[in-house]
Every structure is written in structure tokens, then in C-alpha cells.
Amino acid sequence: MQQSARLKTLSLWLVLVASLLVILPSLLPARMSASLPNWLTAHRLAPGLDLTGGSRLVLEVSRSDIAADRLRAAVETIGNTLRAGRIPYSDLNGAEQTIDVTVTSADRLEAARAALAGLDLGTISEPESGQFRLVLSPAAINDAVSAASLGAVDAVRRRVESLDIPSLVVGRGERDRIVVSMPGLTDPQRVKDMLAQVGRLSARLVDNSMPVNTAMEDGAPAGSEVLYSIGEPPVGYLVRQDDLFTTTDVASAQPAANDEPFIEFVLKGEAADRLAAFTRENSGRTIAILLDGQIISTSQIQGAITDGVGRLSGDFDAEGAANLARIIASGPLPAPLTIIEERSIEPALGATSSGTVVIALVIAVAAVVAFMTFLYGVLGVVASVALFFTVLLTFAVLALIGAPFSLSMIAGIVLTVGIAVDASVLIFERIREEVKAGQALSDAVDTGFARARATVLDASATMLIAIAVLFLLSAAPVRAFALAVGIGLLATLFTTFTLTQRLVRAWLGRSHATHLPKGVRSGFFDRLNLRFMAVRNGVFLLTAVLSLAIAGLLVAGKLQLGIDFTGGAALEVQAKSGNADPTDIFARLSDTGVDVQSVTRHGDARHALVRLTSAGEGENAEQTSVLVARGELEDDYDFRRVEAVGPAISGELIDTATLGFVVGLLALVAYIWIRFEWHFAIGAIIALAHDVFFTLGFLAIAKIEFNVTAVAALLTVAGYSLNDTMVVYDRIRENLRHFKQMPLPILIDDAINRTLSRTVLTSATTLIALAALAFFGGEAIRTFALTLLFGVAIGTISSIYIAGPILILFRLQPERYRPGKGGKGAVTEATGANG
């Protein structure tokens, strides 16, 4: 037994030392960590874009373009198949993934059916005899989109890498999307320009067989089509449909200049031979160069081009020529791409945010340590040591996972600091209660850890459920927050029942103490014996009045929805000299045709926050707004932060936020229903509704933007509130088993008073940590911290004044309570489900 205990202690210290080694390279300057072994530096914490500055683009393959291409290809395939089978037809056309064709020979209908069925393009029906309708398979289009997205990742990487952006990362995101991260690059406009074109280059012969105007009016001859130039006004050309060469035939391309910028390209061997033969035979005729179906240049053939070298000139400047050369050299994209989300932050703002949030973390830890040491003396020091290792272990796991370290992760760790001591407070208060009941200190320590275990696990489970839902059903920043909090909670459970327990027993063994340390000062709650239930009717009345007022605010539209849910763009600007002028900014942007939602001061007088709605319809509309705003303001303002969210992203965020919130609440309530009586589940539902509703009211009154992080804050508040409520309910459940004849109001008052020290102290440590985050964490994280700060405060109140009285309202009766819920009575008394 002793050997087993020593082995557990050794394993514990090995885990802690390993955690310290993992995090050490991230704490040391890069110059010092460079001298460490590779195996030790392989898991440095990599800061995210919100800490380093830079840009992040989310791109989506255009499903409509792929569907249109498949429709055209299917129409062509059907026509070729019917002609090959000598099946006469007419009226072959396609629209919206539906193709209609009429077979004009009755005796060839069966052959037509067999031929069309063999193509396996989709579902075939016959509305009338001789008419066939084919609906293309949605699954085939989905497969094509997925394949195009997979190919687009490499194509995008090749194209953007030509810009020599350091630390560039291109990868696949959710829903077959492409994510481009560019640390240090705050204006990604050049990248967006590079990705705006598919890059399908081709050369075709201009058809002089008829005037282009005649072709426009009467139709082009077979094998030719009318295409237009890229300039303004567009000029029409009649060109052959056969390509002389395409992008895949280009070996290299680079910009050059004489009097005007141009692009010089070199063809591969076989293509060069074809061009030499063609130009030798067609001297004096005109070649049109096409880019994505538009004519960008025309040139007359002066003679045979034998070296495979061509020159491309057009209406572009030196930067445009350089970009076009890169597009040609990197090859075409498999499909058009749409930028559906953009997040950019200035490096200086990222550095400021990282510095302030780290300061907030240090202040939060120091304040919680001081608070715990003041209240519990040597036991508080033990809890503080465990807290230090909890934070260390959380950082180490995050480093091993390799997730980019972000502001939201630090916010999650700060919240973890606040709630990490919850388990220690529960245990210490239980130990103090057992000593007060007459147990020897050494026995009280064993009993306290044993009886508090179930309460700690119940309380942690509610938070973990909320965090798991956040992680699975939220956007990237929220997932990072959820990941940090989830790891922090698991680390807390580990250190509490290993390190804290062993340190307390080690202190007992060395000090031979028989009484609690004199430094324990939390006993002042014992003398209060407050009658909470006596004022429950007044509390219900006040809650009803405030709820009506909040409902009025929400109905009146006072809750400000962020661009995450509405789409559009948000720009944080800083005046290059003097102060920002919101009125002037609004007027200037409005004159350009941009739909300005609002312009407000942001922080100090030099900064302003500009909110834009999308300029028109479509996924790229908000990008147009950002582009116009940059062009109008960039001479007078620096752009510190840019966020642009398209309709696809905003719609998904609404769906996932709603689904995540509903699933989270249902999961939390289901857990309580399983662990307790139905009365407790109803009480938890009403308490949760109270907390969420009042927090929404706070957001409306404080004019805090309701965005994805606000949803994360609401679900975190719900988890924390239930965490608090679970402790009270556990003690009520214990009283129900022991005092079956006690009036319910007195029984609930007793449970609340016995857990009041834990409730107040845990809320205090959490509020201290969140206050440090709100006041020292900087503008980027302040609104999120303030939302949590209010939510935790209101959740603490509801666990006392809402969750308890609801049990009386629904007539929970002690004599009818079933001890089987949550475990048999005898077992429960031994192991404890008590706070």
C-alpha cells in the first residue's frame, strides 16, 4: 500500500516536471530556446494572428459555377451521345440542373432511354411521350465541389507563395473551404486580387469570316463565339473556339517593361512547336489572348514565332503585370473562389493585445492567490500551488496539441483561474464543517476529500458539458476558448485529487496539527444563518418586473447584433494625425455609395469603429464595401482591424449558435434530471432562463455587441450558474434524506447557509479573475470579460434566490423524496454528494 502511494506520488511529480519541460521553450526568448534540443522545442506555443497581427481569409469554391459547368458538360454529353446513336432530337436545353430534350423519332425512343440511362448523370423522367427530363444528381455536384476544393488548396498555395509572405499557411477548413493565414500582413488586398481570377489563360484566332456586329445579331458561325474585352467599354470580338495554347502550356511567365509594362511568357516544347507552325501559316491574322473568358490583349501575327516566347500587353500597370505573371506562372484554379470571411489585425494592435492580456492573467493569478491565502492560510497556499500547476498543465497540453495560441485561449485560462479554486474551496469548507462537528483533523481531511468528490465532479460536469457543446458547435475563436477552459477544468480535477490532497496530507504529517490553521478565516459565514426563503415572494416580484423591462428592450431592438450574424464589415481605424472625425468618415463613405451602418469613437479620440453593410447582393458584396472604404480613407487613417463576414458565414453562425445554445441547455438540464428529481431540473431550467435573459438585458443596456463570443459567454454563464446551483442542490438533497420532517423553506435555507461560504468565495475568485481580464485585458477582450463578469454575478444570485425557491413553488416534499436518485442513501452518506 505504501509502495503504491509512493508510485502515485512519483507519477504525479513526473507529470508536473514534464509539463514544465514542455512549456519551458515557450517561456524563454527565441535566442535562448534555439540552443535547446529539437525534441524539447518541437511544441512551442505558436501565437495566433490576434496576438501577432496579420490576416486570415476564408475562401469557398463557387458551387454555382461548378454546377453551371457540370450542366454545360452534361448538355454536351447528351447531345454527343444521341448523335453517336443516330437518335434524332430537338430542343436540347438545360437550366437549374435540369436538362430537357425531345426525341423526334418514335421508333428510337427505347434506344434513347437506354443511351440516357447509361450516362448515369442523374434521375431521368418522361413528362410526355418523346420528351425526356434529366435532373443532375446533387451528390455528383457535391463530389465535384469537394474535389475542386481539394485541388484549390494547392493552387492557392502556389499562387500566394509567389508573393513571398513569411509564415504563410494555406489549408482546408470546415465545409471544404480554404483558409489562408498570413501573419504580419495587415492589408491582404493584393492576395485577394491574386485569388479573384481563376487564371485560365488561352490564345485563340480572331474569326474574320463575318463582322462581329452581324455575329451578335444573327449568331456566330459554327466553331466560333463572340467574346468581349476586359476594359471599359467592353469591345466584342468574334473568335474561334479552338485554343492555340492554354495556361498548362506555359513554362514560365515574368513581368517586364519598356515604355509600358508587359508580360513575357515562354511555352513548353510541344506548344512552342504548334505555335511556330500556326504562325508560319497565318501571318497577318490576329490572335486574341483570353483570361477567364475575357479578352485581355490582341496582336497581329508578323511571322513565324519559333522560340516559343510571347508578349502579353494590356491595360495594366507594373503591379498588375507582376500579379498577372504570377497568376499565369502558378497555373489556374480549379474553380472560381469567393472570399466569405476576412479578419485582419495590425501587428501593433496584436502586440498590445497580447501584452495586456498576459498582464491580466498575471494579475488574476496573483489576486486569486492573495485572496485564497488570506482566507485559508496554509491551506490557501496549498490551493495556490495547485492553481499554479493547473495553469502550467493547461499551457503544456495546449502546446502539445499545437493549436495557435490566441486571445480567446488566454481568456479561457483566466476564467479557469477563477473557477480552479472552486474544488479546493468545496473541500476546505467540508473539512472545516467536519472539524466543527467534532471529528479529528486528520479524519476530517479524509472525510472532506471523500464527501466533496461527488459534488466537485457534478459541478465540473455541468461546465464541461457547456464547454463541449461550445467546442463542437461554434466558430474558431469560440472553440479556442472552449478548448482552453475544458483542458483547464480537467487539469483542475487532476491536481485537486492528486497534488492538493497529497500536499494537505504532507502538511498534516509534518506539522502534526490537531486543529485547523489559525489562518482559516471563512468561518464568519457560519454565524449569518440568513432566511433566504422568507423574501422569495419579493424576489419573484422584482424578477418579474425586471424581466418585463428587459423584454421591452429586446422587443424594441436594443440588442445590437454584430456582423457575425448580420454580415457586412467592421473597420477599426486610427487617425494618422489629430483625432478621428466620425461625422466626416460617415459623410465621405456615404458619398462613395457605401452603405454605412454607423461610425462611433472606439477607445480614445484617435480611433473610430466603422460598420458597413454589404454593398449589393452576393458573397463578395462586403469585400466591395471594404475595398471602397480603404480607397477613401487610407490617406488619413490607418486600418488597425478589418472584419468582413459574407452571407454564407453569417447564416451558418446563426444556425450553429442557435443549435449550440439549445443543445447545450438541453444537455445541462438532462444531466440534472438524471442526477436529481424532476423538481430540480425544472428549477435549473428557470434559473438558467433567468441568467441568460438578464445577461441579454445587460448586453442591451451596456450596448455590447451580440456576436459569436457573446453566445459563448452566455453558454459559459449557463454552465457556471449550474455549477453553482449543483452545489446547493447537492446539499438540499442531503438534507432531504436526513430531515424528512423539516419544513421545506427551512431545509432549503439550511442548505444555502451551509454552502454559502463556498458559493460566495468561489464566485469572488471567479469575479476577481474576470475583473482583471476586463480592466487590464485590453479593448479586444473587454466586452467578452464584462459579459462573463455580469453573468457570473447574476448566476450566483440565481443559485440562491431562484433555484431554491422554485423547489417550494413546485411543492417538492421531503417525505416523498426518492433516495435512489443519485445513489442509495447509505452509499451516499459514505461517499458524499455534498458541498
Side-chain angles (χ1 to χ4, degrees):
M1 187 73 178
Q2 188 174 9
Q3 186 175 1
S4 175
R6 287 178 178 174
L7 185 60
K8 289 180 181 179
T9 302
L10 178 62
S11 300
L12 167 65
W13 287 108
L14 284 175
V15 170
L16 298 178
V17 170
S19 300
L20 185 59
L21 287 174
V22 168
I23 203 64
L24 183 62
S26 300
L27 300 176
L28 295 175
R31 182 183 57 190
M32 294 180 63
S33 62
S35 60
L36 296 174
N38 290 335
W39 62 267
L40 193 56
T41 59
H43 298 287
R44 282 180 62 94
L45 283 170
L49 291 180
D50 54 356
L51 297 179
T52 62
S55 300
R56 179 178 182 269
L57 301 177
V58 179
L59 305 107
E60 186 174 61
V61 170
S62 175
R63 182 183 179 87
S64 59
D65 282 293
I66 289 179
D69 287 343
R70 288 191 64 83
L71 182 65
R72 284 192 294 269
V75 169
E76 185 176 347
T77 299
I78 290 173
N80 292 337
T81 301
L82 293 178
R83 285 193 295 272
R86 299 183 182 277
I87 301 171
Y89 68 91
S90 65
D91 301 328
L92 174 60
N93 60 80
E96 298 182 356
Q97 306 312 302
T98 300
I99 301 171
D100 292 309
V101 62
T102 301
V103 175
T104 56
S105 174
D107 59 351
R108 299 294 289 160
L109 290 180
E110 192 59 39
R113 292 189 191 97
L116 293 176
L119 295 177
D120 194 24
L121 293 174
T123 305
I124 301 173
S125 60
E126 296 183 46
E128 295 182 17
S129 179
Q131 294 183 357
F132 292 89
R133 174 165 293 170
L134 187 144
V135 179
L136 296 183
S137 167
I141 297 175
N142 291 338
D143 292 342
V145 170
S146 182
S149 175
L150 184 61
V153 172
D154 290 333
V156 168
R157 184 181 295 110
R158 287 195 306 271
R159 189 169 292 185
V160 181
E161 280 178 348
S162 66
L163 294 173
D164 297 324
I165 299 172
S167 305
L168 171 73
V169 177
V170 180
R172 293 192 78 183
E174 297 176 345
R175 302 174 187 262
D176 292 327
R177 288 170 179 152
I178 301 101
V179 179
V180 183
S181 297
M182 298 160 285
L185 184 68
T186 55
D187 183 4
Q189 188 58 49
R190 194 174 183 187
V191 174
K192 292 190 286 186
D193 291 341
M194 292 276 288
L195 298 176
Q197 295 173 307
V198 174
R200 294 194 183 106
L201 184 78
S202 62
R204 296 184 185 180
L205 185 66
V206 174
D207 187 351
N208 296 321
S209 62
M210 70 168 58
V212 66
N213 291 334
T214 304
M216 290 180 188
E217 294 175 3
D218 301 335
S224 296
E225 61 182 329
V226 176
L227 297 177
Y228 294 88
S229 67
I230 203 168
E232 290 292 340
V235 178
Y237 291 87
L238 180 63
V239 297
R240 299 293 298 171
Q241 293 178 332
D242 300 326
D243 294 325
L244 303 179
F245 60 83
T246 64
T247 314
T248 56
D249 296 318
V250 177
S252 65
Q254 57 185 10
N258 286 330
D259 296 332
E260 296 290 338
F262 65 90
I263 299 164
E264 187 174 84
F265 58 88
V266 179
L267 297 179
K268 297 175 183 177
E270 185 179 343
D273 294 339
R274 289 201 312 270
L275 182 64
F278 183 85
T279 53
R280 187 178 296 113
E281 297 170 2
N282 291 276
S283 180
R285 301 190 68 177
T286 302
I287 291 179
I289 304 296
L290 282 65
L291 183 67
D292 296 339
Q294 289 184 291
I295 297 173
I296 60 173
S297 176
T298 60
S299 59
Q300 192 175 42
I301 302 173
Q302 302 296 331
I305 302 175
T306 57
D307 57 2
V309 176
R311 176 180 291 189
L312 176 60
S313 59
D315 186 19
F316 42 70
D317 56 16
E319 183 176 334
N323 285 345
L324 186 53
R326 291 187 177 97
I327 290 172
I328 295 171
S330 62
L333 301 174
L337 297 176
T338 301
I339 300 171
I340 58 176
E341 184 179 6
E342 175 188 349
R343 310 274 181 178
S344 300
I345 183 170
E346 186 184 48
L349 182 58
T352 300
S353 298
S354 62
T356 54
V357 173
V358 168
I359 290 172
L361 176 59
V362 172
I363 292 174
V365 172
V368 170
V369 166
F371 186 75
M372 288 296 293
T373 303
F374 171 77
L375 282 172
Y376 290 104
V378 66
L379 293 180
V381 173
V382 168
S384 300
V385 172
L387 174 62
F388 170 78
F389 280 108
T390 295
V391 173
L392 177 67
L393 190 56
T394 303
F395 275 113
V397 174
L398 289 173
L400 288 173
I401 291 174
F405 197 62
S406 61
L407 282 174
S408 52
M409 276 189 178
I410 299 178
I413 293 173
V414 172
L415 179 62
T416 300
V417 168
I419 62 179
V421 295
D422 175 41
S424 296
V425 171
L426 276 169
I427 292 166
F428 295 163
E429 287 303 297
R430 192 72 202 206
I431 291 173
R432 193 175 60 80
E433 190 174 334
E434 297 299 330
V435 169
K436 185 180 176 182
Q439 277 199 33
L441 181 58
S442 60
D443 294 335
V445 167
D446 292 336
T447 303
F449 274 96
R451 290 196 169 186
R453 186 184 300 272
T455 302
V456 170
L457 293 177
D458 274 338
S460 298
T462 56
M463 277 297 289
L464 286 172
I465 289 172
I467 293 305
V469 172
L470 277 179
F471 183 80
L472 294 173
L473 296 173
S474 291
V478 177
R479 282 200 300 272
F481 168 78
L483 181 65
V485 176
I487 292 171
L489 284 172
L490 294 175
T492 297
L493 291 175
F494 173 77
T495 56
T496 298
F497 293 107
T498 55
L499 183 62
T500 303
Q501 193 165 2
R502 280 165 172 73
L503 288 177
V504 171
R505 285 174 177 164
W507 165 73
L508 274 177
R510 289 181 178 275
S511 66
H512 304 290
T514 57
H515 301 284
L516 283 173
K518 293 182 179 180
V520 176
R521 298 181 176 89
S522 61
F524 59 85
F525 290 98
D526 296 345
R527 298 185 294 271
L528 296 179
N529 196 25
L530 300 174
R531 297 294 304 276
F532 296 101
M533 297 304 102
V535 297
R536 65 182 183 274
N537 292 330
V539 171
F540 282 154
L541 179 61
L542 178 61
T543 300
V545 171
L546 292 176
S547 297
L548 287 174
I550 293 171
L553 288 174
L554 300 180
V555 170
K558 298 299 183 181
L559 188 64
Q560 181 180 343
L561 295 179
I563 63 169
D564 288 337
F565 298 138
T566 62
L571 317 174
E572 182 183 339
V573 298
Q574 175 180 294
K576 292 182 177 180
S577 62
N579 295 330
D581 187 343
T583 304
D584 177 64
I585 293 173
F586 189 96
R588 289 169 62 180
L589 293 180
S590 297
D591 289 344
T592 64
V594 174
D595 190 355
V596 185
Q597 182 179 344
S598 65
V599 182
T600 56
R601 292 201 182 277
H602 188 70
D604 58 37
R606 293 187 62 198
H607 300 91
L609 185 63
V610 184
R611 299 182 187 278
L612 309 174
T613 55
S614 299
E617 298 181 354
E619 284 294 343
N620 272 326
E622 71 289 339
Q623 291 294 330
T624 303
S625 298
V626 172
L627 182 62
V628 173
R630 276 190 181 275
E632 178 63 30
L633 301 177
E634 62 186 356
D635 290 339
D636 302 315
Y637 293 91
D638 291 321
F639 284 72
R640 305 188 76 203
R641 178 170 59 92
V642 176
E643 296 182 0
V645 178
I649 290 290
S650 61
E652 287 172 11
L653 289 177
I654 291 173
D655 294 341
T656 55
T658 303
L659 178 62
F661 194 74
V662 171
V663 170
L665 292 185
L666 290 177
L668 290 168
V669 171
Y671 181 81
I672 292 181
W673 199 301
I674 292 170
R675 293 286 290 135
F676 298 88
E677 285 280 355
W678 67 267
H679 306 79
F680 292 96
I682 297 298
I685 292 172
I686 295 175
L688 277 180
H690 169 275
D691 299 340
V692 170
F693 199 62
F694 273 62
T695 304
L696 286 174
F698 168 74
L699 293 174
I701 293 171
K703 297 182 179 179
I704 293 176
E705 183 180 276
F706 186 74
N707 51 26
V708 170
T709 56
V711 175
L714 285 177
L715 197 50
T716 305
V717 165
Y720 183 88
S721 174
L722 278 182
N723 180 309
D724 229 5
T725 302
M726 292 288 281
V727 175
V728 176
Y729 277 1
D730 261 340
R731 185 52 66 97
I732 292 174
R733 181 170 61 178
E734 181 184 4
N735 284 355
L736 286 168
R737 293 190 180 104
H738 293 164
F739 311 112
K740 295 185 180 294
Q741 303 304 317
M742 182 181 289
L744 191 57
I746 297 176
L747 184 148
I748 294 174
D749 275 342
D750 177 77
I752 295 175
N753 277 288
R754 285 175 178 267
T755 57
L756 187 61
S757 56
R758 177 269 167 197
T759 299
V760 173
L761 297 182
T762 299
S763 296
T765 57
T766 307
L767 291 173
I768 287 171
L770 291 174
L773 190 62
F775 293 107
F776 300 101
E779 191 68 32
I781 207 73
R782 181 169 293 130
T783 55
F784 180 63
L786 285 173
T787 305
L788 282 176
L789 192 66
F790 178 86
V792 167
I794 202 70
T796 302
I797 294 171
S798 74
S799 66
I800 295 173
Y801 286 106
I802 302 296
I806 289 297
L807 299 179
I808 300 174
L809 188 65
F810 283 90
R811 304 182 185 280
L812 176 65
Q813 299 183 27
E815 68 274 9
R816 298 178 64 181
Y817 179 72
R818 292 174 292 143
K821 280 285 185 182
K824 297 294 182 183
V827 176
T828 303
E829 289 186 25
T831 60
N834 318 310

